[in-house]
Coordinates of all heavy atoms in Angstrom, one line a residue:
V39 N -4.2 99.8 144.0 CA -4.2 98.3 143.8 C -5.0 97.9 142.6 O -4.5 97.1 141.7 CB -4.6 97.6 145.0 CG1 -4.8 96.1 144.8 CG2 -3.7 97.9 146.2
T47 N -3.6 93.1 133.8 CA -4.6 92.3 133.0 C -4.8 92.9 131.7 O -4.8 92.2 130.7 CB -5.9 92.3 133.8 OG1 -5.8 91.8 135.1 CG2 -6.9 91.4 133.0
F81 N 10.3 82.8 83.8 CA 11.1 83.0 82.6 C 10.5 84.1 81.7 O 11.2 84.9 81.1 CB 11.2 81.7 81.8 CG 12.0 81.9 80.6 CD1 13.4 82.0 80.6 CD2 11.4 81.9 79.3 CE1 14.1 82.1 79.4 CE2 12.1 82.1 78.1 CZ 13.5 82.1 78.2
Q99 N 3.5 90.7 71.4 CA 3.3 89.3 71.9 C 4.0 89.2 73.3 O 3.5 88.6 74.2 CB 3.9 88.3 70.9 CG 3.1 88.2 69.7 CD 3.8 87.3 68.6 OE1 5.0 87.0 68.8 NE2 3.0 86.9 67.6
H110 N -1.9 85.6 86.2 CA -1.9 84.2 86.8 C -1.2 84.2 88.2 O -1.8 83.6 89.1 CB -1.1 83.3 85.8 CG -0.9 81.9 86.4 ND1 -1.9 81.0 86.6 CD2 0.2 81.3 86.9 CE1 -1.5 79.9 87.1 NE2 -0.1 80.0 87.3
F198 N 7.9 96.1 92.4 CA 7.2 97.0 93.4 C 5.8 96.4 93.6 O 5.1 96.2 92.6 CB 7.2 98.4 92.9 CG 8.5 99.1 92.8 CD1 9.1 99.2 91.6 CD2 9.1 99.6 93.9 CE1 10.4 99.8 91.5 CE2 10.4 100.2 93.8 CZ 11.0 100.3 92.6
M199 N 5.4 96.2 94.9 CA 4.1 95.8 95.2 C 3.5 96.9 96.1 O 4.0 97.1 97.2 CB 4.0 94.4 95.9 CG 4.3 93.3 94.9 SD 4.7 91.7 95.6 CE 6.4 92.0 96.1
R202 N -2.6 100.5 99.3 CA -3.0 101.7 99.9 C -3.0 101.6 101.5 O -3.4 100.5 102.0 CB -4.4 102.2 99.4 CG -4.3 102.6 97.9 CD -5.7 103.2 97.6 NE -5.7 103.7 96.2 CZ -6.2 103.1 95.2 NH1 -6.6 101.9 95.3 NH2 -6.2 103.6 94.0
V221 N -0.6 102.0 116.1 CA 0.3 102.8 115.3 C 1.4 101.9 114.8 O 2.0 101.2 115.5 CB 0.9 104.0 116.1 CG1 1.8 104.8 115.2 CG2 -0.2 104.9 116.7
Q225 N 11.7 102.2 111.6 CA 12.9 102.3 112.4 C 13.4 103.8 112.6 O 14.2 104.0 113.4 CB 14.0 101.5 111.8 CG 13.8 100.0 111.8 CD 13.6 99.4 113.3 OE1 14.3 99.9 114.2 NE2 12.8 98.4 113.4
I287 N -2.7 103.4 124.3 CA -3.9 103.4 125.0 C -4.0 104.7 125.9 O -3.0 105.0 126.6 CB -4.0 102.2 126.0 CG1 -3.9 100.9 125.2 CG2 -5.3 102.2 126.7 CD1 -3.4 99.7 126.0
V324 N -23.4 111.6 174.4 CA -22.4 111.3 175.4 C -22.0 112.6 176.2 O -21.8 112.5 177.4 CB -21.1 110.6 174.8 CG1 -20.0 110.5 175.8 CG2 -21.5 109.2 174.3
F362 N -17.3 121.2 192.1 CA -17.7 122.6 191.9 C -18.6 123.1 193.1 O -18.4 124.2 193.5 CB -18.5 122.6 190.6 CG -19.1 124.0 190.2 CD1 -18.2 125.0 189.8 CD2 -20.4 124.3 190.4 CE1 -18.7 126.2 189.5 CE2 -20.9 125.6 190.1 CZ -20.0 126.5 189.6
D371 N -17.1 131.4 201.6 CA -16.5 131.7 202.9 C -15.4 132.7 202.9 O -15.1 133.5 203.8 CB -15.8 130.4 203.4 CG -16.9 129.3 203.9 OD1 -18.1 129.8 204.1 OD2 -16.6 128.1 203.9
S406 N 6.0 147.3 162.9 CA 6.3 148.5 162.0 C 7.8 148.5 161.7 O 8.2 148.8 160.6 CB 5.9 149.8 162.7 OG 4.5 149.8 163.0
E444 N 7.8 168.3 181.2 CA 8.8 168.2 180.1 C 9.1 166.7 179.8 O 9.1 166.3 178.6 CB 10.1 168.9 180.5 CG 11.1 168.9 179.3 CD 12.3 169.7 179.7 OE1 12.5 170.0 180.9 OE2 13.1 170.0 178.9
V454 N 3.4 159.2 170.1 CA 2.8 159.7 168.9 C 3.6 159.4 167.7 O 3.0 158.9 166.6 CB 2.5 161.2 169.0 CG1 2.0 161.8 167.6 CG2 1.5 161.6 170.1
D474 N 6.0 178.1 181.7 CA 6.2 178.0 183.2 C 5.8 176.6 183.7 O 6.0 176.4 184.9 CB 5.5 179.1 183.9 CG 4.0 179.1 183.7 OD1 3.6 178.4 182.6 OD2 3.3 179.6 184.4
K477 N 8.5 172.5 184.2 CA 9.1 171.9 185.4 C 8.0 171.4 186.4 O 8.4 170.9 187.4 CB 10.1 172.8 186.1 CG 11.3 173.2 185.2 CD 12.1 172.0 184.8 CE 13.3 172.3 184.0 NZ 14.1 171.1 183.6
L517 N -3.6 172.4 185.0 CA -4.7 172.0 184.1 C -4.2 171.4 182.8 O -3.4 172.0 182.1 CB -5.6 173.2 183.8 CG -6.8 172.9 183.0 CD1 -7.8 172.0 183.8 CD2 -7.5 174.3 182.6
D525 N -15.1 161.2 166.8 CA -16.5 160.8 166.7 C -17.3 161.2 167.9 O -18.6 161.4 167.8 CB -16.6 159.3 166.6 CG -15.7 158.8 165.5 OD1 -15.6 159.5 164.5 OD2 -15.3 157.6 165.5
G548 N -6.4 149.5 178.1 CA -5.2 149.9 178.7 C -5.4 150.5 180.1 O -6.2 150.1 180.9
D590 N 12.0 170.6 192.1 CA 13.1 171.3 192.6 C 14.2 170.3 192.9 O 14.0 169.3 193.6 CB 12.7 172.1 194.0 CG 13.8 173.0 194.4 OD1 14.9 172.9 193.9 OD2 13.5 173.8 195.3
E591 N 15.4 170.6 192.3 CA 16.5 169.7 192.5 C 17.0 169.6 193.9 O 17.6 168.6 194.3 CB 17.7 170.1 191.6 CG 17.3 170.0 190.1 CD 18.5 170.4 189.3 OE1 19.5 170.9 189.8 OE2 18.4 170.3 188.0
Y598 N -0.7 172.2 197.6 CA -2.1 171.8 197.4 C -2.7 171.4 198.8 O -2.0 171.0 199.7 CB -2.3 170.7 196.4 CG -1.6 169.4 196.8 CD1 -2.2 168.4 197.5 CD2 -0.3 169.2 196.4 CE1 -1.6 167.2 197.9 CE2 0.4 168.0 196.7 CZ -0.3 167.0 197.5 OH 0.3 165.9 197.8

Side-chain angles (χ1 to χ4, degrees):
V39 172
T47 304
F81 179 77
Q99 290 175 346
H110 172 72
F198 295 98
M199 286 166 281
R202 291 188 176 97
V221 179
Q225 295 297 327
I287 304 158
V324 170
F362 179 74
D371 290 339
S406 299
E444 184 178 13
V454 170
D474 61 340
K477 297 299 181 180
L517 183 63
D525 304 334
D590 189 348
E591 297 179 354
Y598 60 89

